[in-house]
Amino acid sequence: MARKPKLAVWKFSSCDGCQLSLLDCEDELLALAGNIEIANFLEASREVIKGPYDLSLVEGSITTPHDLKRIQEVRKISKFLVTIGACATAGGIQALRNFQSVSDFISIVYATPEYISTLEQSTAISSHVKVDFELHGCPINKEQLVEVISAFLFHRKPNIPAHSVCMECKLAGNVCILVSNGVACLGPVTHAGCGALCPSYNRGCFGCYGAKENTNTSSLSNKLYQLGVKNQDIQKLFRSYNAYTPAFLKESKAHD
Amino acid sequence: MENNSLIILAESLQLIFDNLNSFGYQTIAPTISENTIVYDQITKISDLPIGYIDEQTGGHYRLKKHSKPTFFSYTVGANSWKKYLHPPKVRLWQIKRKAKAMEFVSEETQPPKLAFIGVRGCELAAISIQDRVFLKDKFVDPIYSTRRKDIFIVAINCARAVKTCFCTSMQTGPKVEEGFDLSLTEILDDKKHIFLVKVATEKGREILKNIPYKVATKEDENIAENIIKTTAQSIEKKLDTENIKELLYQNYENPSWDEVANRCLSCANCTMVCPTCFCTTVQDTTDLTGEIAERWRSWDSCFTSDFSYIHGGSVRVSTKSRYRQWLVHKLGAWLDQFGTSGCVGCGRCITWCPVGIDITEQVKTLRENNG
Ligand code: SF4
Ligand code: SF4
Ligand code: SF4
Ligand code: SF4
């Protein structure tokens, strides 16, 4: 049998939640370990096998000068690089700082600000290196992660549709809560992947999978406005986990 | 020939449920879930939305208490009977890797026998349109045909319409004409709460066995006809279908497509809730071990980019081209393809469009800007 492909998991600025999704794949992990060599995954094992790696999963955004250098290294030793989660794909919740001056925060938060070395902005991995595939979500869905890895192993395209959460909602047999209960829901502009988790529990989607393809955020904002959602609350809706995803960024700025 | 027009007490509807159940049918009927009418399995008439009415306008749905304890005064639900006949997601087959070969495992489905209770005129028309799509011509869809085969249908004449209904324009309602085993008209006044039942098939007659009835009088018939007529007259929404195919085919470049594209979210809700939309996509998957591969089929929509993806990219990138595809197919190309319109006037796409885009308004705008 051919050599098993080598997998590495890298962490940048993040909460580790997406890596946990990988550990959460309890049943699938054994199958995974049988088909791929987990060569570098510090969250799971301290043992590190040297690169290059066939598949790198990258979690987290770029926020420090050190990150800037490290992501270039990671790219160099990775044949196939997949970002996992909102941080790596869009800058994450920490990209909220991009709307303010970072030096102001530092002086408030830290006793000795001179020890802090950080960049002005939190940015997505794709702003710095070529990314082969982006897996959305905050956190990512473990079934989608397994799908991406399976597709990689068997040289096929992953089945990760970029359409709306509404499609998943209707496939699950849900009734639209925006229409039937006037709940503010970002489903119509949000990338599928979660299986319509929040709407299934009567909660509006808050866009943690980022923008779907062909997003029309302003039309949805108009509707939310008609439902009585205040301008600043519309802004807050678009300014969360994926605040720096281009479509959401543009929409939140329109509500300044 | 025995009598085909009977009167039963409203509470005898329970006996129809019971008989259907004892004949091995699962009884599917309107019921309330999350403040909305949906279709689901129930066995007791107390689980019907008794004493409720719905309010529907573009992008808006609310369920309200009615002044009367009627069983069927609301209209079409959030979902349609399509989910039972043309399921949202099905596995088509599996392949398992064996030592020297591959083993193909096809899906042997034995769907339960279903009885649909409370099917409206527009919905009967939608079922007949999907029958045409899935059962006629060379290619029969086995998934649809096994599910469709034994369906028992109890239709209902609408005693009330909502603002989104336009069955009168599409000639599909509110009177139910064909495609059912039994039909009901609900009559409630100071003295009585009854159903006028029309028996259309032998199967229907069997289900009525042992249920106390009276033969309907001319007067009962008139009362029922009047209820349907009043409903029809209350319908305000109109879709002018005259030369509609030509109108659509001649207006590919009409500026009104741009205007609707500004509002359209390309979210696909309209196609998901539409009882006639039939499009699906097929996905092949493998597991992590490479020992099992599967093929799944699920509902798709012309509003997604993947829908028109061919080698090199998507054909319909813009929302404008997708909205145009939906309208031109639904109201125009469907006529060429299947000999009927793809729209039955149920109004679901209007109500459940989050931003309330109205198919009838779009046609009106096209007519105004025709040329
Ligand atoms: S469109 Fe006609 S048949 Fe359908 S629910 Fe409305 S009134 Fe009834
Ligand atoms: S196009 Fe709209 S009104 Fe016509 S059948 Fe479909 S959902 Fe109903
Ligand atoms: S309108 Fe779109 S989704 Fe519906 S049947 Fe036509 S192409 Fe398919
Ligand atoms: S017409 Fe409405 S429901 Fe259909 S895709 Fe556009 S916004 Fe969504």
Side-chain angles (χ1 to χ4, degrees), chain B residues 20-38:
Chain B
L20 284 164
N21 285 319
S22 69
F23 272 73
Y25 287 101
Q26 275 185 18
T27 38
I28 314 291
T31 188
I32 296 176
S33 164
E34 314 298 354
N35 304 321
T36 313
I37 308 284
V38 297

Side-chain angles (χ1 to χ4, degrees), chain A residues 16-122:
Chain A
D16 287 32
C18 289
Q19 295 187 61
L20 281 177
S21 301
L22 181 55
L23 285 177
D24 218 24
C25 295
E26 293 157 11
D27 298 339
E28 294 89 351
L29 263 183
L30 272 179
L32 183 67
N35 290 278
I36 204 164
E37 183 173 17
I38 303 181
N40 187 349
F41 184 17
L42 289 176
E43 181 111 347
S45 158
R46 244 183 276 174
E47 191 196 348
V48 173
I49 299 163
K50 261 186 57 204
Y53 305 99
D54 298 286
L55 174 62
S56 274
L57 302 177
V58 178
E59 177 196 84
S61 67
I62 303 299
T63 57
T64 67
H66 177 233
D67 286 348
L68 272 178
K69 275 199 218 120
R70 203 157 60 92
I71 190 61
Q72 298 297 339
E73 285 308 310
V74 168
R75 179 68 265 191
K76 250 181 244 157
I77 54 173
S78 308
K79 281 198 196 141
F80 204 79
L81 189 155
V82 174
T83 61
I84 55 171
C87 300
T89 305
I93 189 86
Q94 59 274 27
L96 285 178
R97 78 191 213 184
N98 302 3
F99 296 95
Q100 305 287 335
S101 151
V102 116
S103 41
D104 293 350
F105 290 142
I106 294 176
S107 55
I108 297 167
V109 176
Y110 297 99
T112 39
E114 53 279 18
Y115 290 145
I116 304 296
S117 153
T118 188
L119 299 170
E120 261 305 309
Q121 298 215 318
S122 165

Side-chain angles (χ1 to χ4, degrees), chain B residues 107-177:
Chain B
E107 287 297 312
E108 297 294 343
T109 38
Q110 273 304 341
K113 260 169 67 175
L114 301 182
F116 295 166
I117 298 162
V119 183
R120 294 170 189 274
C122 57
E123 300 183 306
L124 287 172
I127 293 172
S128 123
I129 287 176
Q130 288 215 322
D131 285 352
R132 170 70 187 81
V133 171
F134 289 121
L135 303 176
K136 304 284 156 59
D137 290 343
K138 250 204 264 169
F139 303 105
V140 169
D141 179 60
I143 297 169
Y144 188 90
S145 80
T146 43
R147 281 169 172 70
R148 178 72 176 93
K149 191 162 79 267
D150 290 324
I151 301 287
F152 187 96
I153 293 182
V154 182
I156 177 89
N157 283 302
C158 291
R160 201 182 135 264
V162 287
K163 289 215 168 73
T164 43
C165 293
F166 59 102
C167 56
T168 37
S169 296
M170 308 315 286
Q171 276 105 48
T172 60
K175 187 175 164 74
V176 297
E177 305 277 3

Side-chain angles (χ1 to χ4, degrees), chain A residues 25 28-29 31-32 35 145-147 149-151 153-154 156-183 187-189 200-202 212-223 226-227, chain B residues 33-38 57-63 78-79 83 88-89 97 260-269 271-273 282-291 298-301 303-306 309 316-319 322 351-356:
Chain A
C25 295
E28 294 89 351
L29 263 183
L32 183 67
N35 290 278
L145 181 60
V146 169
E147 168 61 17
I149 299 174
S150 305
L153 285 173
F154 300 103
R156 61 176 176 84
K157 201 175 149 220
N159 294 312
I160 307 284
H163 56 225
S164 66
V165 171
C166 300
M167 288 267 291
E168 294 191 292
C169 215
K170 299 297 116 55
L171 284 171
N174 290 346
V175 168
C176 175
I177 50 174
L178 190 152
V179 170
S180 70
N181 285 315
V183 174
V189 296
S200 302
Y201 291 94
N202 280 324
K212 76 182 255 292
E213 57 86 29
N214 236 13
T215 318
N216 188 346
T217 49
S218 61
S219 177
L220 182 65
S221 289
N222 281 341
K223 172 72 184 191
Q226 284 162 25
L227 286 176
Chain B
S33 164
E34 314 298 354
N35 304 321
T36 313
I37 308 284
V38 297
T57 55
H60 174 93
Y61 183 102
R62 291 293 181 277
L63 206 56
N79 44 34
K83 65 177 176 173
K89 204 166 173 155
R97 201 196 288 277
V260 68
N262 281 335
R263 284 182 293 138
C264 177
L265 306 161
S266 69
C267 64
N269 272 302
T271 49
M272 296 286 109
V273 297
V282 164
Q283 290 184 328
D284 290 346
T285 66
T286 48
D287 72 345
L288 280 167
T289 62
E291 297 302 310
S298 53
W299 286 354
D300 200 2
S301 163
F303 280 95
T304 74
S305 123
D306 287 346
Y309 186 90
R316 294 188 203 101
V317 180
S318 68
T319 300
R322 298 182 198 172
T351 301
W352 299 101
C353 170
V355 291

